[in-house]
Amino acid sequence: MPHRFPILSEDSADKVPSLTMEIIFRLKVKDAMMTSLWTATKKHTFREIQTVMRDNEISGVPVLDDNRLVGIVSVSDIINALDSGHIEEPIEAYMSKQLIVLEDDMPLSFAVSYYNKYPYRRFPVINKNKEFVGILTTKDVLTAILNEMNNEINILENQLHHDKVELPNQIIREYIIKQFDFEKAGQASFKLKKLLKEKEVSRKIIRRASVAAYEMEINVAIHSNGGKITFVLEKDSITIITKDTGPGIADVAQAIEEGYSTANDWIRSLGFGAGMGIPNTKRVSDEFKIESEPGKGTIVKSVIYLEETDESQ
Amino acid sequence: MRVSEVAAKTGIEIVTKSFNDIEVANGYTSDLLSDVMGFAEEESLLITIQAHKNTVAVASQLDLAGIVICNGRRIPEDMRLAAEQEGIAILQTEENQFVTSHKIYSAIRE
């Protein structure tokens, strides 16, 4: 029977922030685990291990036999040894041998589900070749998530830092678009729509700008590694620019053709990816331009004049 | 004819608790959101089976009057909430897009 992650149950999934979910799916056990560890062999006595645990303030020592994990000695094993009087004996006969292990290539979400499923606070980690490579504690998981969140924030801050300076009679808004973030896709376009309403731009123009902004935003979310969308509102025009960080378009002429799309089945099942995004954007724009370099990224620019033109829909 | 009147006349159920009960100007039937984005007119009822949050985003960008979900497709909670927030009506019917389009066309054109 497939195992269902407790964190993904219908009740709880909504409560976990999407960034955290993304991080625990992206990170692997090996990104979070501790690799610098005290280990023991079967011949060590409980007393020797107890000394190591006490001196180094650790709560569990893996037992190895030639890189293979054969057991683990925890604080409760030490207490049992003291209780039953075998503290001076080799650990082999008494150590916990029924081990629940993680593999280093598993996503961290898997480890989180293990903490929900089993009573242990630490899991030994093995690699593909069944060799022992580290230990993962709840603290390691928390540290890894916090570090990764910090990185994300740094990236966002750096991106915002380069905001352009507004000239007089100019309003600039910039928003970050993340890859496959359908939860938020459309948010920037909503904000543009609100801004244009506030500025009392005509409904027809707002509609055209909304179509262009939404299609461009969705395109970045679907096809690129992520990027940003910029709106520049001036006296007589609104300019919408998306700039992404790759992978770029090999054949721009082909991409502009109606019906051409590289979207996957999932995107298509949502009703996108029919190769209409760029033609739709082009149709509502007074000026339209795509610049792209494979391996680098794509810049799309749409300009809509605030003065109504005849061919606009 | 307002959204609520179209619903009453066609017997199609409205599932959003609150919405802007605007005049329905037209209808548009499509399951391809990019196609809707390109061609649906404002204040139209969108007849579709695309029951997810992005449909609400498209409807909101285009100032549509409402979304009619056909074939009894389940409406996810986040879709319903987004629609209520945007004031867009969601209607739901067991019937397919062909029959639903006919009913709505008859209601608003006759």
Side-chain angles (χ1 to χ4, degrees):
Chain A
M1 208 175 88
H3 172 62
R4 184 161 154 208
F5 297 155
I7 50 154
L8 292 184
S9 70
E10 276 182 27
D11 310 332
S12 63
D14 302 348
K15 293 173 197 141
V16 181
S18 65
L19 177 62
T20 317
M21 291 290 280
E22 204 188 299
I23 287 172
I24 63 172
F25 278 105
R26 188 198 315 152
L27 289 180
K28 296 197 166 152
V29 167
K30 64 179 162 203
D31 301 321
M33 69 186 185
M34 249 190 313
T35 51
S36 164
L37 296 164
W38 287 95
T39 58
T41 68
K42 294 182 283 190
K43 305 284 172 232
H44 281 104
T45 65
F46 280 103
R47 178 70 74 197
E48 288 170 306
I49 291 177
Q50 186 215 350
T51 310
V52 169
M53 284 168 108
R54 188 196 56 213
D55 294 350
N56 300 287
E57 294 177 337
I58 50 181
S59 57
V61 175
V63 185
L64 300 189
D65 185 3
D66 205 22
N67 276 342
R68 300 267 151 163
L69 181 72
V70 291
I72 195 159
V73 176
S74 65
V75 173
S76 65
D77 292 322
I78 300 284
I79 293 169
N80 282 340
L82 282 167
D83 243 8
S84 320
H86 56 255
I87 188 80
E88 303 297 344
E89 290 179 42
I91 57 178
E92 186 168 8
Y94 307 98
M95 66 188 183
S96 326
K97 287 170 198 151
Q98 295 286 337
L99 297 174
I100 310 285
V101 297
L102 290 166
E103 267 189 50
D104 60 353
D105 267 332
M106 288 173 169
L108 213 51
S109 58
F110 209 87
V112 173
S113 74
Y114 265 40
Y115 288 114
N116 286 332
K117 197 171 164 193
Y118 300 104
Y120 314 119
R121 295 298 97 188
R122 91 182 68 74
F123 292 100
V125 183
I126 57 169
N127 65 14
K128 267 207 303 274
N129 306 320
K130 311 262 181 240
E131 291 159 337
F132 174 78
V133 287
I135 275 199
L136 188 75
T137 65
T138 42
K139 186 182 155 201
D140 300 329
V141 174
L142 276 178
T143 309
I145 293 174
L146 288 175
N147 278 339
E148 197 63 17
M149 286 176 104
N150 234 344
N151 288 341
E152 289 282 331
I153 289 165
N154 278 338
I155 292 168
L156 295 181
E157 278 180 349
N158 283 337
Q159 283 174 325
L160 291 176
H161 197 69
H162 302 298
D163 268 1
K164 293 175 193 83
V165 181
E166 289 178 6
L167 297 170
N169 299 322
Q170 195 182 46
I171 298 171
I172 301 183
R173 296 280 186 275
E174 202 157 82
Y175 303 95
I176 287 157
I177 308 166
K178 293 177 77 179
Q179 187 181 26
F180 299 141
D181 191 354
F182 278 93
E183 194 61 29
K184 298 217 183 62
Q187 298 273 333
S189 324
F190 277 118
K191 285 177 180 149
L192 173 67
K193 193 173 178 184
K194 207 171 151 231
L195 173 72
L196 296 179
K197 269 186 186 168
E198 274 167 23
K199 298 291 165 197
E200 292 175 348
V201 173
S202 83
R203 274 184 77 172
K204 275 195 172 164
I205 299 292
I206 293 181
R207 196 186 139 92
R208 287 169 55 202
S210 296
V211 169
Y214 187 80
E215 293 284 11
M216 287 166 73
E217 197 180 348
I218 288 280
N219 261 341
V220 172
I222 293 178
H223 296 290
S224 82
N225 305 328
K228 61 184 175 184
I229 187 162
T230 311
F231 306 127
V232 183
L233 179 61
E234 285 163 308
K235 204 171 118 282
D236 50 7
S237 70
I238 166 85
T239 304
I240 306 164
I241 303 159
T242 55
K243 202 170 178 179
D244 65 52
T245 54
I249 304 169
D251 187 342
V252 172
Q254 194 180 27
I256 295 177
E257 259 174 55
E258 190 142 321
Y260 177 82
S261 178
T262 55
N264 62 29
D265 289 346
W266 172 62
I267 304 285
R268 288 171 194 267
S269 74
L270 290 174
F272 298 108
M276 296 182 70
I278 295 174
N280 281 350
T281 312
K282 218 175 143 186
R283 189 166 350 96
V284 296
S285 305
D286 290 308
E287 293 172 32
F288 182 77
K289 202 167 79 177
I290 298 185
E291 283 170 41
S292 188
E293 201 177 323
K296 283 205 165 160
T298 304
I299 300 173
V300 182
K301 186 176 168 188
S302 157
V303 182
I304 294 166
Y305 306 144
L306 300 185
E307 191 88 359
E308 194 83 39
T309 50
D310 286 342
E311 44 296 280
S312 61
Q313 52 155 214
Chain B
M1 187 178 285
R2 293 183 186 278
V3 176
S4 59
E5 292 166 332
V6 173
K9 199 165 170 185
T10 56
I12 300 172
E13 186 195 358
I14 302 178
V15 296
T16 38
K17 289 189 197 95
S18 55
F19 58 93
N20 298 331
D21 199 9
I22 61 170
E23 282 288 326
V24 179
N26 210 338
Y28 198 82
T29 306
S30 181
D31 298 322
L32 195 54
L33 292 184
S34 318
D35 169 55
V36 175
M37 208 63 196
F39 302 102
E41 288 170 26
E42 60 189 0
E43 288 155 10
S44 292
L45 274 176
L46 170 61
I47 297 146
T48 187
I49 53 165
Q50 290 291 358
H52 54 81
K53 204 175 155 186
N54 298 98
T55 314
V56 176
V58 169
S60 166
Q61 293 295 67
L62 295 175
D63 294 320
L64 300 185
I67 302 164
V68 186
I69 300 295
C70 299
N71 281 347
R73 289 231 179 180
R74 198 181 69 84
I75 291 154
E77 189 60 8
D78 64 349
M79 181 192 189
R80 197 179 56 77
L81 290 176
E84 283 173 358
Q85 204 175 347
E86 295 296 321
I88 292 170
I90 298 183
L91 293 80
Q92 193 181 30
T93 171
E94 292 297 324
E95 254 142 3
N96 67 27
Q97 299 95 305
F98 177 71
V99 174
T100 309
S101 300
H102 166 73
K103 281 188 173 176
I104 290 174
Y105 184 93
S106 307
I108 63 178
R109 292 287 160 84
E110 284 161 17

